[in-house]
């Protein structure tokens, strides 16, 4: 029996459509190898949506996103839309879709492909075999807390304010996602905060502990101050399995961890929300990189981050672990055979265009699948 999944594809701006074309080819290849059918609908987001609908995210597109099993996004942004009012800028489309779908957990893997060990800024023995998952809380904390703003004081100086707030529910739901991931991995969660200096950090630690004691006692939980975690990530990154942390610390720690493994063109991400009435978790998958206006239109962008984001979609939205691993293994094989896009190229490598990289990965998927 064929299972059908509804995918909303939003290629966006710049290199977004270029890399997304390769994802769609990979999706079609996975359909051929499995009993799954993807009902794909395409629409616009960001600058492309502004050009077509006069807004970076139309109500109609949002409705489609809410009705799909998962959303695949390319990237948004570009100088063409620099002079628009702030509320109409391409990036607002992205922020809005994340908010409307209530995507509260951002997953960023730091996975070092054997073929890319040499590209890390750390010694090969520190990153070889590295496989960390960082879970960042995405919809709360200091980026959203009130009061906020800049005000003038009576002495003529100015004061800037942002507020870190978290409540029980916000902490427990993201902790649960981290534990569920660890359950399928190496069963170890490290929770990071600054409970030595922040009350919100004390609450964070207590609530993560509560979820652990009541629901996931069989897993290992440790707590670490976020500044120590930043240090441990470059000292001995392989000590970690799943790291869960708040919005601000997660922003920084996930960038740090991701760059242990090489280039921006290789980094996927997933954003997950609550499980809906049909038992589907709201989800959006996108590369970490932006629309790369400096190389857009040249056919040289690396499609791997987007293809790996699709692999995350197969695993975390559809439970297709085998197909997801197949994509990851194929990417590793292609890179280890010296096929690289311009951003990764070394002396003895073969330089592939975006399209050639997509084709090469598909060729290997078919061979291994
Ligand atoms: P960027 O990620 O677009 O590019 C940074 C550098 O990395 C550039 O030199 C680019 O050529 C290179 N690069 C990025 N992705 C690549 C790929 N797949 N293959 C090869 N090289 C790649 O970041 P930026 O230049 O700071 O931002 C450009 C635009 O993208 C801005 O409008 C920004 O707001 C937007 N942006 C969007 C997102 C998103 O959609 N999630 C994220 C970051 C930036």
């Amino acid at each position: 029996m064929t299972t059908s999944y509804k995918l909303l594809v939003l290629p966006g701006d710049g290199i977004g459509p270029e890399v997304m074309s390769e994802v769609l080819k990979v999706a079609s290849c996975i359909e051929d190898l499995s009993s799954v059918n993807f009902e794909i609908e395409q629409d616009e987001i960001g600058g492309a949506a502004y050009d077509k609908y006069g807004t970076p995210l139309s109500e109609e597109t949002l409705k489609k996103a809410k009705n799909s099993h998962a959303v695949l996004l390319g990237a948004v942004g570009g100088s063409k839309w620099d002079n628009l009012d702030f509320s109409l800028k391409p990036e607002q489309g992205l922020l809005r879709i994340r908010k409307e779908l209530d995507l509260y957990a951002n997953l960023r893997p730091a996975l070092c492909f054997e073929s890319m060990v040499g590209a890390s800024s750390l010694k090969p023995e520190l990153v070889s075999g590295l496989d960390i998952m960082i879970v960042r809380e995405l919809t709360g904390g200091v980026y959203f807390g009130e009061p906020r703003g800049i005000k003038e004081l009576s002495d003529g100086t100015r004061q800037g304010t942002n507020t870190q707030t978290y409540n029980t529910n916000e902490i427990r739901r993201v902790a649960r996602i981290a534990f569920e991931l660890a359950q399928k991995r190496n069963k170890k969660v490290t929770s990071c905060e600054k409970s030595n200096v922040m009350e919100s950090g004390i609450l964070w630690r207590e609530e993560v502990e509560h979820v652990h004691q009541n629901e996931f006692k069989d897993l290992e939980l440790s707590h670490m101050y976020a500044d120590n975690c930043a240090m441990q990530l470059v000292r001995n990154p392989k000590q970690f399995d799943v790291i869960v942390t708040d919005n601000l610390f997660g922003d920084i720690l996930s960038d740090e961890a991701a760059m242990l493994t090489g280039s921006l063109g290789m980094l996927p991400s997933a954003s997950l929300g609550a499980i809906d009435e049909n038992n589907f978790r709201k989800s959006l998958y996108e590369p970490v990189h932006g629309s790369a206006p400096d190389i857009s239109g040249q056919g040289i962008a690396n499609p791997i981050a987007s293809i790996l984001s699709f692999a995350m979609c197969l695993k975390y939205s559809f439970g297709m672990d085998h197909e997801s691993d197949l994509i990851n293994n194929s990417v590793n094989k292609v890179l280890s055979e010296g096929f690289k896009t311009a951003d990764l190229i070394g002396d003895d490598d073969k330089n592939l265009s975006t399209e050639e990289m997509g084709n090469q990965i598909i060729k290997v998927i078919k061979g291994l699948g």
Side-chain angles (χ1 to χ4, degrees):
M1 206 185 85
T2 305
T3 312
S4 231
Y5 294 119
K6 276 194 226 167
L7 275 178
L8 177 65
V9 172
L10 303 172
D13 310 318
I15 61 168
E18 298 170 39
V19 292
M20 195 57 87
S21 299
E22 303 314 307
V23 172
L24 294 178
K25 280 157 49 181
V26 172
S28 157
C29 171
I30 294 295
E31 280 181 322
D32 293 343
L33 294 173
S34 64
S35 54
V36 158
N37 167 50
F38 299 114
E39 282 175 46
I40 292 176
E41 183 161 16
Q42 283 207 48
D43 206 341
E44 308 293 352
I45 192 167
Y50 175 78
D51 290 347
K52 192 166 174 185
Y53 305 122
T55 165
L57 180 70
S58 76
E59 293 305 322
E60 197 54 37
T61 310
L62 191 55
K63 209 162 124 193
K64 287 180 198 166
K66 287 181 175 167
N67 287 330
S68 62
H69 290 120
V71 178
L72 301 182
L73 197 136
V76 299
S79 56
K80 182 179 173 193
W81 303 282
D82 273 354
N83 296 324
L84 289 178
D85 182 71
F86 189 73
S87 64
L88 294 174
K89 284 194 187 290
E91 290 75 9
Q92 292 304 313
L94 192 55
L95 294 180
R96 178 142 187 253
I97 195 168
R98 287 178 184 154
K99 186 167 185 292
E100 293 278 348
L101 297 181
D102 196 16
L103 303 171
Y104 57 81
N106 183 234
L107 277 52
R108 292 260 301 259
L111 182 82
C112 195
F113 289 107
E114 273 322 294
S115 46
M116 293 293 294
V117 164
S120 171
S121 47
L122 294 192
K123 292 187 199 117
E125 62 270 26
L126 288 182
V127 290
S128 172
L130 181 73
D131 181 0
I132 306 176
M133 179 66 81
I134 302 217
V135 181
R136 164 189 171 193
E137 200 290 327
L138 201 60
T139 52
V142 74
Y143 293 163
F144 296 94
E146 297 283 350
R148 63 186 298 159
I150 301 175
K151 70 175 179 189
E152 194 148 330
L153 302 177
S154 53
D155 65 359
T157 58
R158 296 194 304 154
Q159 185 181 60
T161 304
N162 289 93
T163 307
Q164 166 92 331
T165 58
Y166 271 111
N167 62 38
T168 298
N169 179 38
E170 287 172 318
I171 301 168
R172 288 188 187 177
R173 64 184 187 173
V174 74
R176 254 176 222 119
I177 288 203
F179 285 120
E180 280 164 14
L181 287 168
Q183 230 159 16
K184 294 187 189 161
R185 297 168 47 97
N186 292 322
K187 312 209 176 311
K188 222 171 99 179
V189 172
T190 307
S191 170
C192 295
E193 29 60 17
K194 289 282 289 174
S195 57
N196 49 343
V197 285
M198 295 168 76
E199 284 77 2
S200 58
I202 296 174
L203 184 76
W204 183 279
R205 186 179 281 226
E206 288 173 359
E207 294 299 346
V208 173
E209 195 66 50
H210 178 93
V211 175
H212 178 240
Q213 284 300 314
N214 288 284
E215 299 172 44
F216 300 94
K217 228 176 162 180
D218 53 321
L219 304 183
E220 187 185 327
L221 169 67
S222 59
H223 301 278
M224 195 179 269
Y225 297 139
D227 50 341
N228 184 25
C229 181
M231 198 256 284
Q232 295 297 334
L233 275 171
V234 287
R235 197 184 72 87
N236 176 20
K238 282 193 264 180
Q239 69 184 282
F240 297 109
D241 177 21
V242 176
I243 294 175
V244 62
T245 188
D246 74 14
N247 205 342
L248 174 64
F249 298 137
D251 195 357
I252 298 162
L253 295 175
S254 62
D255 268 13
E256 184 192 356
M259 284 318 291
L260 299 177
T261 66
S263 149
L264 194 51
M266 296 279 300
L267 305 175
S269 81
S271 300
L272 306 181
I275 293 176
D276 67 18
E277 61 281 7
N278 301 317
N279 221 15
F280 258 93
R281 199 180 273 293
K282 288 270 165 275
S283 57
L284 183 147
Y285 299 86
E286 59 182 322
V288 168
H289 64 72
S291 58
D294 54 334
I295 58 164
S296 123
Q298 298 176 36
I300 59 168
N302 186 349
I304 292 178
S306 295
I307 291 172
L308 295 179
S309 300
F310 176 64
M312 289 186 83
C313 171
L314 295 182
K315 188 174 200 142
Y316 298 117
S317 283
F318 308 145
M320 297 171 70
D321 293 23
H322 169 71
E323 289 79 1
S324 179
D325 292 346
L326 184 58
I327 295 176
N328 279 293
N329 293 339
S330 302
V331 167
N332 188 33
K333 187 157 193 290
V334 166
L335 294 172
S336 64
E337 286 168 353
F339 294 104
K340 307 267 171 73
T341 42
D343 54 317
L344 306 176
I345 203 89
D347 286 344
D348 300 323
D349 292 329
K350 302 159 203 88
N351 190 351
L352 302 193
S353 67
T354 309
E355 197 181 340
E356 287 166 340
M357 179 55 90
N359 292 343
Q360 195 62 30
I361 292 170
I362 287 165
K363 202 167 130 188
V364 176
I365 292 175
K366 284 182 175 159
L368 295 179

